[in-house]
Amino acid sequence: MISTTSFPEHFLWGGAIAANQAEGAWNEDGRGPSINDALRHGIVNGVLNEAIDPNAYYPSHEAIDFYHRYKEDVALFAEMGFKCLRTSIAWSRIFPNGDEQQPNEAGLQFYDNLFDELLKHGIEPVITISHFETPLHLVREYGGWTNRKLVAFFTRYCEVIFKRYKSKVKYWMGFNEINHMHTIPLAAGGIELRNPERKLQDIYQASHHLFVASAAATKLLREIIPGARMGCMLSLSIIYPNSCHPDDVFETYELRRRSLFYSDVLLHGEYPRYAERIFREHGIELAIEPGDLELIRAYPADYIGFSYYRSTTHKAGMPILGNTGGIMGLDNPYLTKTSWGWPIDPKGLRYVCNEIYDRYRKPIFIVENGFGDKDEIGADGTIADDSRMQYLNQHLLELHQAIQDGCEIMGYTWWGPIDIVSAGTGEMNKRYGFIHVDKDNEGRGTLRRMKKKSFDWYRQIIATNGEILLKAKDDSDANRASTEQ
């Protein structure tokens, strides 16, 4: 029986961060550099340099120093009542170059300590295995995921962490926002597209290697940690046709399939029929080794995690661009925007949940949803982030509607419950957190943590399993109806 007054009984409330945006300690305790450590202006605008400049500021090198301050931060998450925390393991903290035979014990011990701290507070770790942090050596030496050798390196990495954390982690995801292979291939696949004529060939070949690696990881997980769950993770901010012109409608549909291609393979366990035409018309010839397709078919993902931030509209023939929030199209006149220009579309979240559940009939986990804004610290030292609270409320109400629609939703993790470095641009001033961190875009600040107004509101939502939010809406609706009468 679906409750109309609360969220499901075992709903996983929490927040989400990523190692490269929070941990810092980029070269401590044996950690090697990842692609983020060579980028000064974020993963979207950044270009890998030949060498990391020791005199330049790189946002990820210190980030918010979660590596040394995780106990303080986990205590704050526990105070909010988190049931889970989504974070990632930095691959280069475990294998500094990515291709070693033996792991780095200091890196393994850090995550032992972090997971123990979470579990001590009753917080389930939800772990992304590769979150836009491919070891830099694998990009420079092998060309990233265009190289088949990375499948074996990744599989070795997975075997090590599954065996090490088999009693501590039961929710896993493979590759963060894997469908960003089309828009941010450096982030999603560790590849630099140096030859425009080979762009799609490289993207789809790297994607195939990611599919094989994902299936191999799922196979290992089921063998090593029976009962654990492996999810795939996509960026699924929605795209609407800009008009009802049939060309706009169908081209938007085709554009959406560029994203759903990834979940089709990872959840259905096979390449979709429409991919044949894409490959044929673009002259794409995948190098598929014997056993690849059988492995992909035998080991699909158990659930789909996705990020949702905004919506956009698409007009036939326009250039296709994207950033960490999803595809960037034309403005929708019916929507307002954040101070960073991202449209606010809560109903789009309900739309995506229904779209995905109808297509796959597998559990859904909203693992990124959030509101980036500037913080204004009042004269009394408080941060009244009402706009963030409004965004949260609107999206959770639509998420509850999706549950009423019949969608099976596992949980919800707000992106950046504590301010972290922006993945796309390397900024700190674009703040998502319920917890403010004293640091600016140039790296100045004390790193002091401070609760915002939204901190207590999210705590109340979790404590009542959403009842306080739903009741507030019912009361508002009743008052409005009374006034209209």
Side-chain angles (χ1 to χ4, degrees):
M1 184 72 178
I2 298 174
S3 172
T4 60
T5 60
S6 68
F7 281 72
E9 183 179 357
H10 300 293
F11 196 76
L12 289 170
W13 295 99
I17 60 175
N20 69 84
Q21 294 169 254
E23 286 180 8
W26 76 283
N27 59 357
E28 291 186 37
D29 297 330
R31 183 188 182 278
S34 74
I35 52 176
N36 286 278
D37 299 315
L39 299 172
R40 296 183 59 197
H41 305 293
I43 203 77
V44 173
N45 302 315
V47 177
L48 290 178
N49 299 315
E50 289 301 314
I52 296 173
D53 182 352
N55 299 313
Y57 172 63
Y58 293 81
S60 68
H61 287 193
E62 182 184 45
I64 64 165
D65 197 29
F66 183 75
Y67 186 79
H68 298 109
R69 299 168 183 251
Y70 69 89
K71 289 186 179 181
E72 172 189 354
D73 295 338
V74 170
L76 289 167
F77 301 153
E79 188 178 341
M80 276 188 282
F82 279 18
K83 309 299 181 185
C84 69
L85 177 73
R86 179 193 171 212
T87 187
S88 59
I89 294 175
W91 187 349
S92 63
R93 209 176 280 289
I94 310 304
F95 288 96
N97 288 323
D99 60 356
E100 293 92 345
Q101 292 292 324
Q102 298 299 321
N104 172 35
E105 175 57 29
L108 290 169
Q109 187 59 52
F110 168 71
Y111 293 106
D112 265 322
N113 297 341
L114 172 59
F115 300 157
D116 287 344
E117 192 69 17
L118 290 169
L119 294 169
K120 183 179 78 174
H121 289 281
I123 301 173
E124 290 279 359
V126 178
I127 301 304
T128 309
I129 301 170
S130 180
H131 190 131
F132 292 176
E133 47 209 347
T134 305
L136 185 60
H137 176 76
L138 297 184
V139 177
R140 289 179 169 164
E141 182 67 22
Y142 297 93
W145 278 96
T146 57
N147 194 319
R148 174 79 187 207
K149 290 181 179 180
L150 265 70
V151 174
F153 300 151
F154 182 78
T155 304
R156 181 186 301 140
Y157 164 48
C158 287
E159 183 175 7
V160 167
I161 60 176
F162 292 163
K163 288 181 176 178
R164 182 73 172 228
Y165 309 124
K166 63 183 179 181
S167 64
K168 301 180 182 183
V169 181
K170 58 185 178 183
Y171 297 104
W172 299 84
M173 284 177 284
F175 297 93
N176 181 66
E177 295 181 332
I178 188 172
N179 55 318
H180 272 321
M181 280 298 302
H182 282 285
T183 50
I184 324 174
L186 177 60
I191 60 175
E192 298 179 275
L193 299 176
R194 299 183 182 279
N195 184 349
E197 295 181 0
R198 287 186 53 86
K199 176 180 178 180
L200 287 180
Q201 173 67 40
D202 287 345
I203 284 173
Y204 280 106
Q205 186 61 65
S207 298
H208 177 72
H209 293 155
L210 291 169
F211 295 148
V212 175
S214 296
T218 303
K219 180 177 185 294
L220 276 173
L221 184 68
R222 293 178 184 170
E223 293 168 352
I224 297 170
I225 321 178
R229 306 173 81 176
M230 176 67 79
C232 61
M233 198 290 190
L234 281 76
S235 168
L236 290 180
S237 293
I238 195 66
I239 313 160
Y240 303 123
N242 184 255
S243 77
C244 56
H245 191 293
D247 288 348
D248 289 353
V249 174
F250 194 76
E251 192 167 298
T252 301
Y253 180 78
E254 290 185 306
L255 179 56
R256 188 60 166 174
R257 286 203 306 198
R258 282 188 17 169
S259 285
L260 299 182
F261 163 76
Y262 289 86
S263 47
D264 282 348
V265 176
L266 291 169
L267 290 168
H268 286 320
E270 60 184 15
Y271 279 89
R273 287 290 298 274
Y274 61 80
E276 296 176 10
R277 181 170 186 173
I278 295 172
F279 296 162
R280 181 175 67 250
E281 292 184 350
H282 293 281
I284 297 166
E285 297 183 5
L286 297 183
I288 299 176
E289 294 191 1
D292 282 359
L293 300 182
E294 291 78 8
L295 182 68
I296 292 169
R297 184 177 300 113
Y299 296 98
D302 300 311
Y303 66 91
I304 179 168
F306 68 85
S307 62
Y308 177 86
Y309 292 98
R310 54 177 173 77
S311 64
T312 191
T313 77
H314 178 76
K315 188 173 183 61
M318 68 178 292
I320 298 170
L321 303 172
N323 61 18
T324 51
I327 296 294
M328 297 184 295
L330 299 174
D331 283 350
N332 185 334
Y334 301 100
L335 301 177
T336 60
K337 293 182 177 181
T338 71
S339 57
W340 257 264
W342 287 19
I344 301 172
D345 182 8
K347 194 169 289 291
L349 177 57
R350 179 182 177 186
Y351 183 105
V352 174
C353 288
N354 279 276
E355 172 193 34
I356 294 304
Y357 195 70
D358 287 349
R359 192 177 186 107
Y360 302 115
R361 297 295 176 90
K362 288 194 175 184
I364 294 169
F365 201 159
I366 293 81
V367 295
E368 285 188 33
N369 174 237
F371 178 83
D373 202 7
K374 296 178 181 178
D375 282 351
E376 298 293 337
I377 302 177
D380 61 353
T382 62
I383 301 173
D385 55 339
D386 291 349
S387 295
R388 179 170 293 107
M389 292 164 60
Q390 182 180 29
Y391 180 100
L392 172 66
N393 293 349
Q394 292 171 337
H395 284 77
L396 287 179
L397 288 171
E398 293 295 343
L399 184 59
H400 187 258
Q401 287 296 311
I403 294 170
Q404 303 304 301
D405 294 335
C407 299
E408 183 183 354
I409 313 291
M410 296 167 57
Y412 173 89
T413 57
W414 174 270
W415 177 252
I418 183 170
D419 294 343
I420 54 178
V421 174
S422 168
T425 59
E427 294 176 280
M428 274 298 299
N429 290 351
K430 184 181 183 183
R431 299 180 182 276
Y432 285 83
F434 306 126
I435 303 163
H436 178 87
V437 177
D438 179 28
K439 189 175 185 181
D440 66 14
N441 281 357
E442 286 71 46
R444 297 180 298 242
T446 65
L447 293 172
R448 183 171 70 94
R449 276 60 166 155
M450 180 172 25
K451 301 172 189 176
K452 307 176 189 179
K453 183 178 178 181
S454 57
F455 181 100
D456 188 61
W457 178 236
Y458 194 46
R459 182 192 63 77
Q460 293 182 61
I461 290 174
I462 296 174
T464 63
N465 200 26
E467 286 185 19
I468 190 172
L469 175 63
L470 298 168
K471 185 178 185 303
K473 180 182 183 301
D474 289 343
D475 291 345
S476 175
D477 290 347
N479 290 336
R480 183 167 56 251
S482 175
T483 301
E484 291 172 353
Q485 290 174 359

